[in-house]
Amino acid sequence: RLAHMPPRMQRVVTSITKHDWFKDYETINGVGDALDNIADRIRFANQFTGAAEDIKRHYNQLDAAFLAFFPELIAHVKEFNTERT
C-alpha cells in the first residue's frame, strides 16, 4: 500500500523495511535506543532518554500489564474486523 501513502510516510516505511527496525525492538536496549532517538527528535521537553533503565527496573510489572492487555487487543481487532466485513 506504499503508493497510497504520503511521500514522507513512504520514506519512513521504506526505511523500516530496508533496515529491519522491528528486529531492534526484540531487546530492551533496542527499544531504549528507539526511545532515545525519539527523544532527540521531539520538539518539547521529555524524559524518554534513558527509558531502557526504567523498563528494566519495572520489567515484571510491564510484562504483566502487557499480558493482561494483549488478549483484549486481539478480541478488539477480531470484533473490528468482523464489523467491517
Side-chain angles (χ1 to χ4, degrees):
R1 300 266 190 226
L2 201 59
H4 300 284
M5 297 177 190
R8 185 171 180 206
M9 178 61 88
Q10 289 179 11
R11 288 190 298 276
V12 170
V13 170
T14 299
S15 184
I16 288 170
T17 55
K18 181 179 179 181
H19 300 288
D20 197 11
W21 290 8
F22 296 118
K23 180 79 171 154
D24 293 336
Y25 302 156
E26 288 181 348
T27 67
I28 293 173
N29 288 337
V31 171
D33 290 344
L35 292 172
D36 288 350
N37 289 332
I38 291 169
D40 290 341
R41 291 193 309 269
I42 291 178
R43 295 183 182 124
F44 55 85
N46 67 79
Q47 297 179 348
F48 286 173
T49 302
E53 294 308 313
D54 288 335
I55 293 170
K56 290 174 187 174
R57 190 172 28 260
H58 301 288
Y59 186 84
N60 290 335
Q61 297 95 322
L62 292 166
D63 188 50
F66 175 79
L67 292 175
F69 162 75
F70 197 64
E72 294 177 31
L73 175 63
I74 291 170
H76 177 77
V77 170
K78 284 181 181 178
E79 182 179 325
F80 178 80
N81 287 334
T82 300
E83 291 172 0
R84 294 188 67 181
T85 56

